[in-house]
Amino acid sequence: MAVPNPQGERWCSAMAQAFPEVQGRVPYEGPETKNPLAFRHYNADEVIEGKTMRDHLRFSVAYWHTFRGTGRDPFGDATMLRPWDDGSNSLENAKNRVRAAFEFFEKLGVPFYAFHDRDVAPEGESLAETNRNLDAVVEVMKEEQERTGVRLLWGTACLFSHPRFMHGASTSCNADAFAYAAAQVKKALEVTHYLGGEGYVFWGGREGYTTHTNTDLKRENDHLGAFLRMAVDYKKKIGFSGQFYIEPKPKEPTKHQYDSDAAACLAFLQHYGLLGDFKLNLETNHALLAGHTMAHELEVALAYDALGSIDANDGDCMLGWDTDQFPTNIYLTTQIMLAVLRKGGLAPGGLNFDAKVRRESFEPIDLFYAHIGGMDAFARGLKIAAAMRRDRLFEKIIADRYASWDEGIGRQIESGQADFESLERYMLAKGDIAPNASGRQELIENWINDYIR
Ligand code: XUL
Ligand code: CO
């Protein structure tokens, strides 16, 4: 089918290329290149700390932003009329999109992608028809995975767009919405398993509330706990060994999301006996909306061995919503890669670009510029983080700062040999505490800047 293209060409058939401006794979040309379609830092085969960049970074493209994003916002219509997309809800269009997507993944050289069920296939008149639509498109995805070697990082279900989920999905006041969501997740798990997905994400969507005056918070949380338990049971039943993730976000679309931040998710999972079955999928813009930094969320996850995967993006400090921008801030990517290296790698998780090009960047080629920039920013962050670790920068700072816990009274407290009475005896004899040392924050920040080049 021929469809109009904003640049005045015509995208004619499945044989045509969606991205003719890019021939072959985006090359690595090094930091001095001026080629906008080349990597300056992401050199997939370069080895750092004994592992290739490809394996450290495990990049993934988010299908929903890159292949379903239209630039529509509350004030204006779509700006991104893709030449391969006729704008219809037909299965043929959905299949064409998949082919364009895999051409993009392959040319960009990413090993992974991620999707929601409704990103890839249209809703039908009934759940049965919707499932059939999904099966038909999944066959094309499977073929394209086999053709290109690109793998599925994680799958998920969209339990927030359709009006049936206006009150939430598993936390809806309408029990039928819970049942529908369960059926939908069941199918999404089967499809993710079929496609060899390495994980499955539960982001709350509309699992939250706007006003306590009409909401039974405890009952809704119990329902969410029960829903996740059923998902764990079904995962085991079908032999799906992928990792389950919870993705924290404090608000948007609801005013109060139940999975608000890393600490709240961990408390929730512990309360409902699910801690062993889930890890966290942390996203920078969500951390910012929670009033945290990504570094804080990463520290919380690392502290409880719960760092699973990362939705790589950034927010805008001037805007209070989820702008999902491509990450280009080297301080941020360095912090993230420090956490990833400390964890000993992200697998089976990855760095999924849950990021969208700006509404004004409406040309297909902007998708390449955006992902190349994000991949280079993370590759640079990886190299900088590895250099800091080589010099044991933070290790030394932190070891020195906590030295009082390695001996004497500190060691007694940590090893459980102290109580209030023994500590009182100790302090009465000593009179006052040993002098404090400077935190040296400014000096540390200067040292960090020595590495960020
Ligand atoms: C929403 C968000 C989602 C999840 C997957 O803010 O981040 O795209 O990553 O449902
Ligand atoms: Co996300």
Side-chain angles (χ1 to χ4, degrees):
M1 179 179 13
V3 293
N5 149 331
Q7 281 81 54
E9 297 156 25
R10 293 180 86 76
W11 196 76
C12 299
S13 73
M15 297 298 288
Q17 291 194 28
F19 299 94
E21 313 90 318
V22 181
Q23 288 302 321
R25 178 154 299 177
V26 172
Y28 167 73
E29 291 184 0
E32 302 308 321
T33 186
K34 296 280 177 263
N35 178 0
L37 289 169
F39 294 114
R40 283 138 180 77
H41 297 276
Y42 180 61
N43 184 10
D45 294 319
E46 187 176 326
V47 173
I48 290 176
E49 290 197 13
K51 211 157 69 181
T52 61
M53 280 198 178
R54 182 188 295 104
D55 289 344
H56 275 293
L57 296 164
R58 293 173 60 85
F59 287 127
S60 156
V61 171
Y63 200 96
W64 52 101
H65 286 311
T66 298
F67 288 92
R68 299 312 307 274
T70 62
R72 188 184 303 281
D73 74 9
F75 303 95
D77 289 341
T79 59
M80 299 166 193
L81 308 166
R82 302 303 190 195
W84 57 82
D85 194 316
D86 66 13
S88 79
N89 253 341
S90 76
L91 265 179
E92 229 12 73
N93 194 33
K95 291 178 185 176
N96 280 342
R97 258 191 231 116
V98 170
R99 295 190 186 100
F102 276 81
E103 181 190 326
F104 180 77
F105 306 155
E106 204 182 10
K107 287 181 171 174
L108 188 61
V110 285
F112 294 106
Y113 72 108
F115 73 100
H116 300 81
D117 48 4
R118 301 298 176 259
D119 301 336
V120 294
E123 287 248 354
E125 292 295 317
S126 63
L127 180 60
E129 188 185 335
T130 303
N131 286 347
R132 280 196 298 276
N133 288 348
L134 185 55
D135 283 336
V137 180
V138 160
E139 283 312 318
V140 184
M141 293 160 76
K142 179 100 169 163
E143 265 169 40
E144 288 291 290
Q145 284 189 188
E146 278 159 15
R147 183 184 67 76
T148 59
V150 174
R151 282 141 54 208
L152 176 60
L153 185 67
W154 48 259
T156 188
C158 176
L159 304 177
F160 43 90
S161 294
H162 196 280
R164 73 173 66 87
F165 296 125
M166 66 171 71
H167 297 294
S170 70
T171 64
S172 176
C173 47
N174 180 349
D176 268 3
F178 183 111
Y180 195 104
Q184 194 176 325
V185 170
K186 174 180 176 290
K187 181 71 183 170
L189 284 171
E190 289 161 7
V191 158
T192 300
H193 185 33
Y194 178 68
L195 290 172
E198 302 203 3
Y200 186 91
V201 163
F202 293 84
W203 164 59
R206 290 181 195 274
E207 310 293 36
Y209 67 100
T210 302
T211 169
H212 67 92
T213 56
N214 66 11
T215 300
D216 187 336
L217 180 146
K218 173 71 167 63
R219 201 167 183 182
E220 292 196 2
N221 272 275
D222 286 349
H223 294 164
L224 178 56
F227 190 88
L228 296 180
R229 164 63 51 209
M230 289 181 201
V232 169
D233 290 345
Y234 192 64
K235 170 193 181 192
K236 290 181 182 151
K237 186 161 188 186
I238 62 174
F240 173 50
S241 59
Q243 176 65 52
F244 270 4
Y245 306 103
I246 292 259
E247 183 175 325
K249 183 175 183 180
K251 55 190 166 201
E252 206 197 8
T254 73
K255 182 167 159 183
H256 304 280
Q257 297 275 138
Y258 293 132
D259 303 331
S260 55
D261 66 3
C265 284
L266 292 174
F268 177 91
L269 292 171
Q270 188 165 34
H271 181 76
Y272 290 98
L274 293 161
L275 207 46
D277 295 298
F278 286 82
K279 298 238 185 258
L280 301 177
N281 181 36
L282 297 178
E283 176 166 328
T284 306
N285 210 160
H286 296 180
L288 300 178
L289 291 177
H292 299 311
T293 58
M294 183 61 164
H296 169 82
E297 292 291 83
L298 289 164
E299 288 296 332
V300 172
L302 282 173
Y304 298 97
D305 192 23
L307 177 56
S309 199
I310 288 170
D311 269 5
N313 65 14
D314 205 354
D316 185 324
C317 63
M318 303 295 285
L319 302 172
W321 66 88
D322 199 10
T323 57
D324 282 338
Q325 290 169 222
F326 275 85
T328 53
N329 180 329
I330 309 300
Y331 277 81
L332 171 68
T333 58
T334 300
Q335 283 170 344
I336 293 175
M337 292 318 298
L338 276 167
V340 169
L341 291 176
R342 242 167 81 199
K343 181 186 176 300
L346 262 186
L351 290 169
N352 173 53
F353 286 111
D354 194 351
K356 57 183 176 225
V357 288
R358 299 305 85 195
R359 185 166 187 269
E360 304 85 339
S361 307
F362 59 87
E363 294 182 2
I365 197 71
D366 289 309
L367 297 172
F368 274 95
Y369 298 145
H371 284 85
I372 289 171
M375 290 164 78
D376 265 344
F378 269 97
R380 245 174 112 182
L382 169 61
K383 289 194 265 187
I384 294 165
M388 288 171 167
R389 281 161 58 85
R390 213 162 32 240
D391 295 347
R392 300 185 178 278
L393 184 66
F394 297 105
E395 220 175 295
K396 277 198 285 200
I397 291 165
I398 291 173
D400 286 353
R401 192 151 182 258
Y402 289 85
S404 71
W405 293 89
D406 296 334
E407 55 188 22
I409 198 70
R411 176 166 291 181
Q412 281 175 37
I413 298 170
E414 279 196 350
S415 60
Q417 287 161 1
D419 58 20
F420 270 15
E421 286 159 320
S422 72
L423 293 173
E424 184 193 44
R425 269 196 309 281
Y426 169 78
M427 218 11 99
L428 284 173
K430 192 161 182 178
D432 205 344
I433 71 166
N436 277 314
S438 166
R440 300 266 190 258
Q441 183 176 330
E442 297 75 10
L443 175 62
I444 295 167
E445 286 165 354
N446 296 348
W447 282 338
I448 292 173
N449 274 357
D450 284 345
Y451 286 83
I452 303 208
R453 295 168 197 279

